[in-house]
Amino acid sequence: MQHTELKALIERQLEQHDANDWFLLVNTYQDADIVEVLEELAIEQTASLLVKLPSPQFASLFGYFSPLYQDALLQVIEQTEQLRLFKAMARDERVDVYQRLPAQDQQQILPKLAKQEQHDILKLAAYEAGTVGALATSAYVAIADNMTVIDALRFVRHNAANMETIYQVYVVDKDQRLIGTMSLRELMTEQDNAVVGDVMRTDVISVHAEQPQQDAANLIRRYDLLSLPVINGGKTLIGIVTVDDAMDVDVQENTEDFHKGGGTLALKDVSLRQVSTWTMFAKRAPWLIVLVFANMFSGGVIESYEDTILTYVALVFFLPLLVDSGGNAGAQASTLMVRALATGDLEMKDWLKTLGREFWVALLLGLAMAATVYGLGHYRGGADIALVVSISMVAVVLAGSMIGMSLPFLLSRLKLDPATASAPLITSIADFVGVLLYFYIAVTVLGSA
Amino acid sequence: MQHTELKALIERQLEQHDANDWFLLVNTYQDADIVEVLEELAIEQTASLLVKLPSPQFASLFGYFSPLYQDALLQVIEQTEQLRLFKAMARDERVDVYQRLPAQDQQQILPKLAKQEQHDILKLAAYEAGTVGALATSAYVAIADNMTVIDALRFVRHNAANMETIYQVYVVDKDQRLIGTMSLRELMTEQDNAVVGDVMRTDVISVHAEQPQQDAANLIRRYDLLSLPVINGGKTLIGIVTVDDAMDVDVQENTEDFHKGGGTLALKDVSLRQVSTWTMFAKRAPWLIVLVFANMFSGGVIESYEDTILTYVALVFFLPLLVDSGGNAGAQASTLMVRALATGDLEMKDWLKTLGREFWVALLLGLAMAATVYGLGHYRGGADIALVVSISMVAVVLAGSMIGMSLPFLLSRLKLDPATASAPLITSIADFVGVLLYFYIAVTVLGSA
């Protein structure tokens, strides 16, 4: 279904008032596609359509809106409708929405929910945003180890409608501690009268609620899981993270790393389609201004070589080339390292070995680039300048690469985010070092002016 | 289980020869963890351990090795063992391994497999690497629409052991055309005697075998699927892609985009832990050398302003600052755009609107940065130089941002990869434009020398 066709169908719903027709449309098309159209309508229009739906469809669609649009919707729908929504939403999404509500709205809505739901929200809301706990849902299937397989299957079938996933069931002891797991596939292929405790897997991969979200996504990817159990300090099972949420975490974290790599503070939960001029400015200005100061040091170095420049003005012609080349080689190295550290391809212990290889790679790169510029150096500035430019090229590429390679490791060592070693930051540091090296080599070869 | 502990356990297996003990170890620990240890052993050692295992465990572990290590293993194990492996491997992994075999090995192994397996390999091998078809497995559950729910459940249960996933079943007509789908959860909650054709979902999300892999991952993420059916031109169901493979595609594609963003050609299927100095050089040199030529243009521009420089040498002090600032702002803008285009957050039609906002953001950034440098400009070069530097700062930041923002869209429009607009490329282009603007403004304000 094309976006424009679906949009025409939905806009027709705004004019006519046959709730049944709208209900049929929602059941026929995919939630993600419908929401994409609805997000282009005015908030009030979307709200008027949503409240006409039965609770399950209302809640299911609501979960696909962006956080910003969700919050805006809650502002325009009546409290009885809010309540209906809260009762029907997926538990992990519900707690996210709840936490973004203004305190007074939280206080109004919470007492109106069932005790069980209140307890569930408060338990999940206890975890900080960005932790696994904040990502988890409590809608998982837990069984006892003394159940038979056939009883477990009946239990799963009976509870299927309310669970986030039924394809992995978790086995807990009487204190709700996680002791095993079985997939629905394993349950279906075991003998009916086998006892769960005898046939379950006991080497369960799990994650602590306080760990960062990315850890959950990494575990799910590494072990090819459909869901991952979340435990607290006492090994009590408190929820699960499902693979679809893990994929979303991967995308978010990658986007943040991209933004940081480009020297922008991460834009969380914001579409570039909607972000305001002011937000963009606020996210981009800090690094740019910091780098202005960094670049002033380069200017200071140049100033101290004023006489050399006046004597050999041809040196200036090669200034952008040399400083950029160091920065470019450094940006390559840092990008490779940041990514490898993020995916777990490299770890701290690989630093020395990687540094050794980087030295040889950078030396080869520097020599290749020096060979490329030698002729031009000769043509524009004569043999001496060509020599200075070529030696400097090798030096700045080596220096830039070593800095670009090492800084992500260093940041990681200091428990800072390696992605902070952005291309612009590396470029500016490499520039400073490049200017120093270039003029030092120039004065050494040419003699001071 | 810590890596070092598991390593000790596995190394002990190399010395003793109790196959049963080793079998027990493999069944107790996670495949991904065991393979991480095995990849650190010599190929022959790993091979000697693997061939001691029954086929299912052998094949399951084999699927977790990197492609490079898999190929090396196949070189050292005997052909009867290769055959045993090929019969037991997951079908999507098997065809990948088969396609990487040398042609003569392919010809030796294929006739020794069952007709059904030969057919399966050749069908999946028909799709080019990087397409959905090459990612798909044919181990899916397909049922007819006239089956009852209870019969479908029996069929699923009976076939559970051989399927990549049983949690989503696909409904096909007599020509194997995809006409519907049901999740196992839906099957389990429907009435036993309901007919599948009456209760199945008919709005099935599917993907063509010739589409790029990333499309499959995007659909799985967008619609929260556990598996995605793959069809050919005639709408015939030919396989499925599962969510775990989609996650791996996401990581690979993101890594390629990161590498490109840093100005490196993408390193496919290679760990940075193992990559050779020569490969690294080959992947990084091309862009660096291209950018050397790009930067020579900047040098040429500066050369043409030789007299201005000799008169106002203070202009040189601010050269790195100004060209870098334009490059940094451009790198920010391009990184944001490349990522937004990759995730689908922005599309071609958003170009103009985004360009308009970028203009205002860049103007604000340029003004903020100009304010930052004005004082220093005054101190080092007097009122005139301060004016030139400040006006130039606004101009180069505006120019760099506009270039950085537009190039990814332009590349996308030309059906090229937007990620080619790397930070180093944008920096070098912005530098050239920055130098032009800076000296033009200098001459205009100060008068030509």
Side-chain angles (χ1 to χ4, degrees):
Chain A
M1 166 61 52
Q2 291 293 312
H3 181 81
T4 42
E5 296 168 44
L6 185 57
K7 185 160 189 178
L9 285 176
I10 288 176
E11 280 175 342
R12 205 176 309 151
Q13 293 299 327
L14 284 171
E15 287 146 32
Q16 64 158 44
H17 296 279
D18 184 345
N20 208 38
D21 201 35
W22 167 227
F23 177 62
L24 205 70
L25 187 152
V26 168
N27 276 347
T28 310
Y29 298 103
Q30 299 286 340
D31 287 353
D33 295 332
I34 296 170
V35 165
E36 191 175 85
V37 170
L38 290 178
E39 283 202 338
E40 294 173 10
L41 303 181
I43 300 279
E44 289 75 13
Q45 290 180 315
T46 300
S48 73
L49 285 172
L50 288 178
V51 297
K52 275 195 276 186
L53 292 170
S55 302
Q57 284 77 11
F58 182 9
S60 175
L61 278 179
F62 191 82
Y64 279 88
F65 287 96
S66 71
L68 273 179
Y69 204 96
Q70 285 181 339
D71 296 347
L73 276 171
L74 284 176
Q75 304 247 306
V76 300
I77 64 177
E78 287 175 26
Q79 208 185 31
T80 51
E81 295 295 334
Q82 281 184 17
L83 210 59
R84 189 160 73 91
L85 178 66
F86 261 76
K87 287 179 178 169
M89 278 184 82
R91 298 187 205 175
D92 52 344
E93 291 170 2
R94 179 171 65 187
V95 66
D96 291 342
V97 172
Y98 175 81
Q99 286 188 292
R100 292 200 310 271
L101 281 179
Q104 65 186 67
D105 289 8
Q106 289 184 343
Q107 284 162 16
Q108 282 198 332
I109 215 160
L110 199 62
K112 300 208 172 75
L113 296 169
K115 275 276 168 275
Q116 179 62 38
E117 288 167 339
Q118 292 183 29
H119 177 72
D120 186 73
I121 287 179
L122 292 177
K123 190 178 71 176
L124 294 177
Y127 296 100
E128 264 180 75
T131 64
V132 171
L135 191 68
T137 177
S138 51
Y140 56 86
V141 182
I143 57 176
D145 61 341
N146 57 4
M147 263 187 173
T148 60
V149 163
I150 186 77
D151 284 343
L153 278 172
R154 280 205 197 98
F155 182 79
V156 169
R157 190 164 181 174
H158 185 71
N159 288 283
N162 303 313
M163 296 300 158
E164 185 84 15
T165 182
I166 59 165
Y167 301 134
Q168 197 73 33
V169 305
Y170 297 99
V171 188
V172 291
D173 67 12
K174 61 181 173 23
D175 298 322
Q176 290 294 312
R177 275 189 301 242
L178 180 66
I179 55 172
T181 183
M182 287 191 81
S183 68
L184 182 54
R185 188 203 301 233
E186 284 160 352
L187 277 174
M188 287 178 80
T189 49
E190 287 291 347
Q191 299 295 327
D192 282 351
N193 56 356
V195 175
V196 165
D198 298 336
V199 293
M200 69 187 185
R201 287 202 74 134
T202 53
D203 59 329
V204 195
I205 303 293
S206 63
V207 65
H208 270 270
E210 285 85 8
Q211 285 179 247
Q213 291 186 359
Q214 185 63 59
D215 289 358
N218 289 347
L219 288 169
I220 285 176
R221 184 156 18 77
R222 178 179 172 95
Y223 297 106
D224 293 340
L225 306 176
L226 295 182
S227 61
L228 173 70
V230 181
I231 56 177
N232 68 12
K235 303 240 162 150
T236 306
L237 181 61
I238 62 156
I240 59 168
V241 173
T242 50
V243 65
D244 53 320
D245 292 334
M247 284 192 97
D248 293 339
V249 167
D250 266 347
V251 169
Q252 277 169 29
E253 298 281 336
N254 280 321
T255 298
E256 284 183 30
D257 278 359
F258 266 100
H259 290 178
K260 286 181 191 160
T264 302
L265 301 184
L267 289 153
K268 273 188 208 268
D269 291 337
V270 179
S271 162
L272 277 197
R273 202 185 289 260
Q274 295 154 346
V275 67
S276 71
T277 301
W278 186 249
T279 304
M280 277 289 251
F281 173 76
K283 294 292 180 183
R284 290 170 60 179
W287 269 115
L288 288 180
I289 303 230
V290 167
L291 295 177
V292 163
F293 286 102
N295 278 310
M296 284 180 182
F297 288 107
S298 304
V301 173
I302 298 175
E303 190 170 4
S304 67
Y305 286 100
E306 183 171 347
D307 297 336
T308 310
I309 291 169
L310 288 172
T311 315
Y312 304 100
V313 72
L315 286 175
V316 180
F317 310 157
F318 295 94
L319 191 58
L321 170 63
L322 285 170
V323 296
D324 263 16
S325 295
N328 288 344
Q332 284 187 334
S334 72
T335 307
L336 290 169
M337 293 306 123
V338 167
R339 182 61 183 166
L341 288 170
T343 59
D345 185 21
L346 288 180
E347 295 162 32
M348 274 311 295
K349 66 182 166 67
D350 301 310
W351 185 351
L352 258 183
K353 194 185 146 204
T354 314
L355 192 74
R357 185 186 56 207
E358 181 67 19
F359 176 82
W360 293 109
V361 173
L363 188 65
L364 285 172
L365 290 171
L367 288 171
M369 292 159 81
T372 311
V373 295
Y374 183 84
L376 192 85
H378 207 290
Y379 170 72
R380 282 210 189 132
D384 284 351
I385 295 287
L387 190 64
V388 170
V389 169
S390 301
I391 296 174
S392 300
M393 183 61 97
V394 177
V396 299
V397 169
L398 258 179
S401 298
M402 294 321 232
I403 294 166
M405 205 233 90
S406 302
L407 196 57
F409 278 102
L410 189 66
L411 289 165
S412 180
R413 177 97 217 188
L414 299 173
K415 309 266 178 226
L416 297 170
D417 185 352
T420 311
S422 65
L425 177 63
I426 297 292
T427 303
S428 297
I429 298 176
D431 278 10
F432 173 67
V433 177
V435 168
L436 273 179
L437 287 170
Y438 182 38
F439 284 105
Y440 177 79
I441 290 167
V443 170
T444 307
V445 173
L446 304 172
S448 76
Chain B
M1 167 61 50
Q2 290 293 313
H3 181 81
T4 43
E5 296 168 45
L6 187 57
K7 186 159 189 181
L9 285 176
I10 289 176
E11 280 174 343
R12 204 177 308 151
Q13 293 299 327
L14 284 171
E15 287 145 35
Q16 66 158 44
H17 296 279
D18 184 345
N20 208 37
D21 201 35
W22 167 229
F23 177 61
L24 204 70
L25 189 152
V26 169
N27 276 349
T28 309
Y29 298 104
Q30 298 286 339
D31 287 353
D33 294 332
I34 296 171
V35 164
E36 191 175 85
V37 170
L38 291 177
E39 284 202 337
E40 293 172 10
L41 302 181
I43 300 280
E44 289 76 14
Q45 290 181 314
T46 300
S48 72
L49 286 173
L50 287 179
V51 297
K52 277 195 276 186
L53 293 170
S55 302
Q57 284 77 10
F58 182 9
S60 176
L61 278 180
F62 192 82
Y64 279 89
F65 287 96
S66 72
L68 273 179
Y69 205 97
Q70 283 182 340
D71 296 348
L73 277 171
L74 284 176
Q75 304 247 308
V76 300
I77 63 176
E78 288 174 26
Q79 208 186 31
T80 50
E81 293 296 334
Q82 280 184 17
L83 210 61
R84 188 160 73 89
L85 178 66
F86 262 77
K87 286 179 177 165
M89 278 184 80
R91 298 185 205 176
D92 51 345
E93 292 170 2
R94 179 171 65 188
V95 67
D96 291 342
V97 172
Y98 174 83
Q99 286 188 292
R100 292 198 312 269
L101 282 179
Q104 66 187 67
D105 289 7
Q106 288 184 344
Q107 284 161 18
Q108 281 196 333
I109 213 156
L110 199 62
K112 301 208 173 73
L113 296 169
K115 276 273 167 280
Q116 179 62 37
E117 289 166 338
Q118 292 184 29
H119 177 72
D120 186 70
I121 287 179
L122 292 177
K123 190 178 73 175
L124 294 177
Y127 296 100
E128 264 181 75
T131 64
V132 172
L135 192 68
T137 177
S138 51
Y140 56 86
V141 182
I143 58 176
D145 62 339
N146 58 4
M147 265 187 173
T148 59
V149 163
I150 186 77
D151 284 343
L153 278 172
R154 281 204 198 98
F155 182 79
V156 169
R157 191 165 179 174
H158 186 71
N159 288 283
N162 303 314
M163 295 300 159
E164 186 83 14
T165 182
I166 59 164
Y167 301 134
Q168 197 74 34
V169 305
Y170 297 98
V171 188
V172 291
D173 67 13
K174 62 179 173 21
D175 299 321
Q176 291 294 312
R177 275 188 301 242
L178 179 66
I179 55 172
T181 184
M182 286 190 82
S183 68
L184 181 55
R185 187 203 301 236
E186 285 162 350
L187 277 174
M188 287 177 79
T189 49
E190 286 291 345
Q191 299 295 326
D192 282 352
N193 56 356
V195 176
V196 166
D198 297 336
V199 293
M200 68 187 186
R201 286 202 73 131
T202 54
D203 58 329
V204 195
I205 303 291
S206 63
V207 64
H208 271 269
E210 285 86 7
Q211 284 179 250
Q213 292 185 0
Q214 184 63 60
D215 289 358
N218 289 347
L219 287 170
I220 285 176
R221 186 157 16 79
R222 177 179 171 95
Y223 297 107
D224 294 341
L225 305 176
L226 295 182
S227 61
L228 174 70
V230 181
I231 55 176
N232 68 12
K235 305 241 162 148
T236 306
L237 182 61
I238 61 155
I240 59 168
V241 173
T242 50
V243 64
D244 54 318
D245 292 334
M247 283 191 99
D248 293 341
V249 167
D250 265 345
V251 170
Q252 277 169 31
E253 299 281 336
N254 279 320
T255 298
E256 285 184 28
D257 278 358
F258 266 100
H259 290 179
K260 286 182 193 159
T264 303
L265 302 183
L267 289 152
K268 269 187 210 271
D269 290 338
V270 179
S271 163
L272 277 197
R273 202 185 289 260
Q274 295 156 346
V275 67
S276 71
T277 301
W278 186 250
T279 305
M280 277 289 251
F281 173 76
K283 294 290 179 182
R284 289 170 60 181
W287 270 115
L288 287 181
I289 302 220
V290 167
L291 295 178
V292 164
F293 285 103
N295 277 309
M296 285 180 180
F297 287 107
S298 304
V301 173
I302 297 175
E303 191 169 4
S304 68
Y305 286 100
E306 185 172 346
D307 297 337
T308 309
I309 291 168
L310 288 171
T311 315
Y312 303 101
V313 72
L315 286 175
V316 180
F317 311 155
F318 296 93
L319 190 59
L321 170 64
L322 285 170
V323 296
D324 264 16
S325 295
N328 289 344
Q332 284 186 335
S334 72
T335 307
L336 291 170
M337 292 307 124
V338 167
R339 182 63 184 164
L341 288 169
T343 58
D345 185 21
L346 287 180
E347 294 163 34
M348 274 312 295
K349 67 183 167 63
D350 300 310
W351 187 350
L352 258 183
K353 192 184 147 206
T354 315
L355 192 74
R357 184 187 56 207
E358 182 66 21
F359 175 83
W360 294 108
V361 173
L363 187 64
L364 285 173
L365 289 171
L367 288 171
M369 293 159 81
T372 310
V373 295
Y374 183 83
L376 193 85
H378 207 290
Y379 170 73
R380 282 211 188 129
D384 283 353
I385 295 289
L387 189 66
V388 170
V389 169
S390 301
I391 296 173
S392 299
M393 183 61 97
V394 177
V396 299
V397 169
L398 258 181
S401 298
M402 293 322 231
I403 293 166
M405 205 233 87
S406 302
L407 195 58
F409 277 101
L410 188 67
L411 288 166
S412 180
R413 177 97 217 189
L414 299 172
K415 308 262 177 231
L416 297 170
D417 185 353
T420 311
S422 65
L425 178 63
I426 296 291
T427 303
S428 298
I429 298 176
D431 277 10
F432 173 68
V433 177
V435 168
L436 273 180
L437 287 170
Y438 182 37
F439 284 104
Y440 177 79
I441 291 167
V443 169
T444 306
V445 173
L446 305 171
S448 75

